[in-house]
């Protein structure tokens, strides 16, 4: 009988897994039967923008946390596919921090070239996954909205590629129930123009807080106040942006902070992170972790140790992204194809704990992305995934961190060199603060005049 693999999600992780198997098939390997279930109507996962919030057109929780006008907040050179470069896709150099639609087009280009869309069943939500000990197989129950049909199929392996940035962590502060403005989580943030002329409070001090606040500034918020639990972000903010200790409570339209100060606010955006949430998995298959560089119980950061036929992709806190998902997918593929043998459970667990112990020693951002880079290198060394210069990627991360502290509103205007082709990015025709049109057409245009359209 043919080995069958269920892949849950057709975002960057699920597409990496499909591309890994297609790559093996292109080199003459016999590959298993692949079935990828995607609850959205198109591929791309988080990069597939939707205006919807709350529930989608089928009544499913909206997966996407993507918002209009989002530009990459890290250099594209740090996430470039080793087997499909930006040069190959666009046929020209471009800026280092492209907007969402440009990155989505890039992701799509690779999988269109690979011809893997045939494996994906769209508008299909996974309802349940359980493991049958007697048969050694998984029962996967899905609902197809195209056919309004629920069915259960059997698979030998399951790859969980549904990500962990779609179920918001929503804290409650005293006074929210009677706050005079709007309270929303970053997951539901869609358009910074909604907050034009308003006093915005950002709760949080990580990447989404930094970027959503910056979007609100760019599109005309009257003021931005961000508050932190442990430490401020510490960038050189514009005059109308200030950082404060954590919010304690709100009363009417006034927010009160831990340092005793208060401020009028019109809207509160909770940039408070996400939960690893897998309601479709049986209890004995479910990863439980907070967002960290080394979640426990995953051998090589991928295989569920209690049942290595279950694979998780992209569950780590991420410095690296697309190329890390590739490294994981290629490794998982080679285990499934019998090219790599897994050790016994005790050995897997011991290695897992050793990685966690190392993670606990990390003191700063540089040590963290070097740790993740080392992890990726161990995966790449074991497969035929094209190797790339991890140390140079780490240096690009360092340069990026430096640029942000030098100019938080201008770092996206900097250019970095591809670690795959050596091509130096070219400055975008319009500075990030002035580029109000984030469309693919405007970004690839040669003229700044056509890149800026009326907004408002």
């Amino acid at each position: 009988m043919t080995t069958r693999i269920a892949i849950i999600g057709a975002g960057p992780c699920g597409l990496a897994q499909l591309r890994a198997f297609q790559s093996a098939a292109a080199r003459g390997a016999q590959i298993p039967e692949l079935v990828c279930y995607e609850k959205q109507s198109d591929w791309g996962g988080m990069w597939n923008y939707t205006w919807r919030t709350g529930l989608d057109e089928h009544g499913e929780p909206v997966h996407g946390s993507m918002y209009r006008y989002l530009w990459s907040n890290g250099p594209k050179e740090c996430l470039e596919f080793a087997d499909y470069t930006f040069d190959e896709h666009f046929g020209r150099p471009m800026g280092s921090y492209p907007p969402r639609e440009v990155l989505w087009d890039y992701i799509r280009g690779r999988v269109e070239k690979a011809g893997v869309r045939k494996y994906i069943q769209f508008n299909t939500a996974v309802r349940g996954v359980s493991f049958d000990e007697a048969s050694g197989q998984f029962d996967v129950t899905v609902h197809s909205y195209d056919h309004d049909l629920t069915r259960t199929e059997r698979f030998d392996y399951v790859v969980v590629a549904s990500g962990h940035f779609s179920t918001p962590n929503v804290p409650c502060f005293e006074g929210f129930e009677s706050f005079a403005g709007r309270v929303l989580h970053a997951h539901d943030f869609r358009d910074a123009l909604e907050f034009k002329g308003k006093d915005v409070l950002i709760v949080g001090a990580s990447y989404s807080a930094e970027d959503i606040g910056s979007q609100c500034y760019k599109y005309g918020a009257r003021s931005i106040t961000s508050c932190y639990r442990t430490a401020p972000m510490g960038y050189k903010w514009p005059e109308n942006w200030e950082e404060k200790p954590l919010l304690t409570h709100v009363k009417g339209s006034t927010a009160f902070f831990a340092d005793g100060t208060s401020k009028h606010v019109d809207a509160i955006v909770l940039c408070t992170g996400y939960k690893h949430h897998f309601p479709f998995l049986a209890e004995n298959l479910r990863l439980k972790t907070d967002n960290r560089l080394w979640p426990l119980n995953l051998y090589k950061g991928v295989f569920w140790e209690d049942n290595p036929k279950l694979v998780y992709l992209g569950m780590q806190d991420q410095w690296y992204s697309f190329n890390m998902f590739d490294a994981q997918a290629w490794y998982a593929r080679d285990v499934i194809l019998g090219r790599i043998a897994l050790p016994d459970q005790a050995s897997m667990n011991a290695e897992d704990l050793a990685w966690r112990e190392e993670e606990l020693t990390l003191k700063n951002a540089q040590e963290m992305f070097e740790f993740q880079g080392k992890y990726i290198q161990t995966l790449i060394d074991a497969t035929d995934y094209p190797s790339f210069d991890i140390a140079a990627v780490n240096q690009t991360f360092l340069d990026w961190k430096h640029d942000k502290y030098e100019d938080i509103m201008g770092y996206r205007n900097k250019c970095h060199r591809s670690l795959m082709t050596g091509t130096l990015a070219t400055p975008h025709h319009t500075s990030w603060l002035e580029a109000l049109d984030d469309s693919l057409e405007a970004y690839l245009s040669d003229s700044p005049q056509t890149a800026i359209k009326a907004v408002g």
Side-chain angles (χ1 to χ4, degrees):
M1 292 180 64
T2 303
T3 299
R4 303 188 77 220
I5 302 175
I7 301 169
I8 302 172
C13 287
L15 295 176
Q17 193 66 80
L18 291 173
R19 167 69 181 122
F21 278 108
Q22 179 272 331
S23 174
R27 297 187 179 202
Q30 288 290 112
I31 65 170
E33 180 184 345
L34 307 172
V35 182
C36 179
Y37 298 115
E38 171 53 56
K39 76 175 184 178
Q40 300 182 103
S41 60
D42 204 355
W43 52 20
M46 199 64 68
W47 296 92
N48 178 22
Y49 171 78
T50 177
W51 59 268
R52 298 177 187 274
T53 60
L55 301 178
D56 67 14
E57 63 270 37
H58 304 305
E60 296 287 331
V62 167
H63 178 77
S65 301
M66 188 64 61
Y67 41 89
R68 290 187 67 195
Y69 316 127
L70 179 140
W71 295 52
S72 175
N73 64 350
K76 75 182 196 303
E77 291 77 14
C78 291
L79 55 76
E80 190 167 19
F81 297 122
D83 66 338
Y84 187 78
T85 64
F86 282 94
D87 284 0
E88 177 180 351
H89 182 73
F90 290 103
R92 48 169 276 194
M94 54 191 289
S96 283
Y97 298 87
R100 178 211 64 87
E101 193 176 342
V102 175
L103 284 170
W104 182 68
D105 194 72
Y106 172 62
I107 296 166
R108 183 176 62 181
R110 180 171 81 147
V111 286
E112 285 179 344
K113 178 184 177 184
V116 299
R117 196 175 179 93
K118 62 188 177 183
Y119 299 117
I120 306 171
Q121 297 181 19
F122 294 102
N123 294 314
T124 303
V126 176
R127 291 277 185 262
V129 178
S130 61
F131 186 73
D132 179 63
E133 295 287 350
S135 65
Q137 292 179 305
F138 295 92
D139 289 314
V140 179
T141 300
V142 302
H143 182 83
S144 166
Y145 284 98
D146 288 343
H147 303 100
D148 192 20
L149 182 68
T150 299
R151 67 185 189 278
T152 300
E153 296 190 26
R154 287 222 145 169
F155 292 91
D156 300 285
Y157 292 87
V158 170
V159 178
V160 180
S162 53
H164 59 96
F165 295 113
S166 59
T167 301
N169 175 51
V170 185
C172 182
F173 291 85
E174 181 186 338
F176 270 12
E177 66 279 356
S178 57
F179 176 58
R182 186 177 178 206
V183 180
L184 68 155
H185 190 274
H187 177 62
D188 295 322
F189 179 87
R190 288 293 181 270
D191 195 328
L193 281 172
E194 177 183 347
F195 305 100
K196 184 176 182 179
K198 294 184 177 181
D199 297 310
V200 181
L201 172 61
I202 308 286
V203 179
S206 193
Y207 294 112
S208 60
E210 166 200 317
D211 198 58
I212 286 176
S214 296
Q215 295 287 344
C216 291
Y217 171 76
K218 178 177 177 177
Y219 287 92
R222 181 164 53 203
S223 72
I224 298 105
T225 305
S226 57
C227 63
Y228 54 89
R229 183 172 52 188
T230 53
M233 291 179 275
Y235 297 114
K236 299 172 185 175
W237 300 115
E239 287 185 5
N240 66 341
W241 185 325
E242 61 179 331
E243 292 195 85
K244 290 181 174 291
L246 190 61
L247 178 70
T248 58
H249 65 286
V250 296
K251 187 174 183 180
S253 296
T254 303
F256 295 84
F257 303 95
D259 62 356
T261 62
S262 62
K263 186 168 183 178
H264 169 272
V265 293
D266 298 304
I268 301 172
V269 185
L270 301 171
C271 297
T272 47
Y274 294 86
K275 298 180 178 181
H276 286 66
H277 186 60
F278 312 104
F280 49 85
L281 292 177
E283 181 64 24
N284 63 344
L285 303 174
R286 190 155 59 90
L287 174 66
K288 298 179 182 181
T289 182
D290 50 2
N291 188 34
R292 59 186 309 145
L293 289 172
W294 197 263
L296 287 176
N297 303 311
L298 296 177
Y299 176 66
K300 297 294 186 187
V302 173
F303 298 94
W304 187 241
E305 290 173 20
D306 287 342
N307 183 349
K309 289 186 173 183
L310 178 66
V311 172
Y312 283 90
L313 297 182
M315 291 299 136
Q316 294 74 15
D317 189 10
Q318 293 158 17
W319 290 93
Y320 288 76
S321 55
F322 297 169
N323 39 37
M324 178 171 71
F325 309 153
D326 275 5
Q328 293 177 328
W330 256 253
Y331 196 96
R333 175 203 71 183
D334 283 359
V335 169
I336 293 169
L337 292 179
R339 298 174 177 179
I340 297 173
L342 295 180
D344 59 65
Q345 187 171 356
S347 299
M348 287 194 290
N349 185 246
E351 184 177 323
D352 179 32
L353 292 175
W355 278 100
R356 166 57 68 85
E357 286 302 312
E358 183 174 351
E359 181 209 25
L360 293 174
T361 68
L362 305 177
K363 301 180 186 67
N364 54 49
Q366 181 176 351
E367 291 182 359
M368 290 176 187
F369 53 69
E370 288 177 350
F371 171 85
Q372 193 157 80
K374 183 178 78 167
Y375 160 62
I376 293 167
Q377 190 71 62
T378 65
L379 300 179
I380 291 174
D381 288 346
T383 72
D384 64 1
Y385 187 71
S387 190
F388 59 97
D389 193 341
I390 297 281
V393 176
N394 290 341
Q395 182 59 51
T396 304
F397 276 130
L398 264 182
D399 295 341
W400 162 69
K401 295 287 286 184
H402 174 267
D403 291 342
K404 286 172 67 176
Y405 281 106
E406 285 292 307
D407 185 3
I408 188 60
M409 293 300 169
Y411 74 90
R412 285 184 173 94
N413 303 323
K414 297 284 188 176
C415 292
H416 301 277
R417 190 174 297 280
S418 169
L419 289 318
M420 308 303 171
T421 65
T423 301
L424 180 65
T426 55
H428 187 47
H429 52 59
T430 308
S431 71
W432 177 76
L433 270 178
E434 296 173 336
L436 302 179
D437 183 345
D438 67 338
S439 68
L440 177 71
E441 179 184 21
Y443 189 80
L444 297 180
S445 165
D446 292 326
S447 168
Q449 285 72 35
T450 61
I452 300 177
K453 64 183 179 182
V455 177

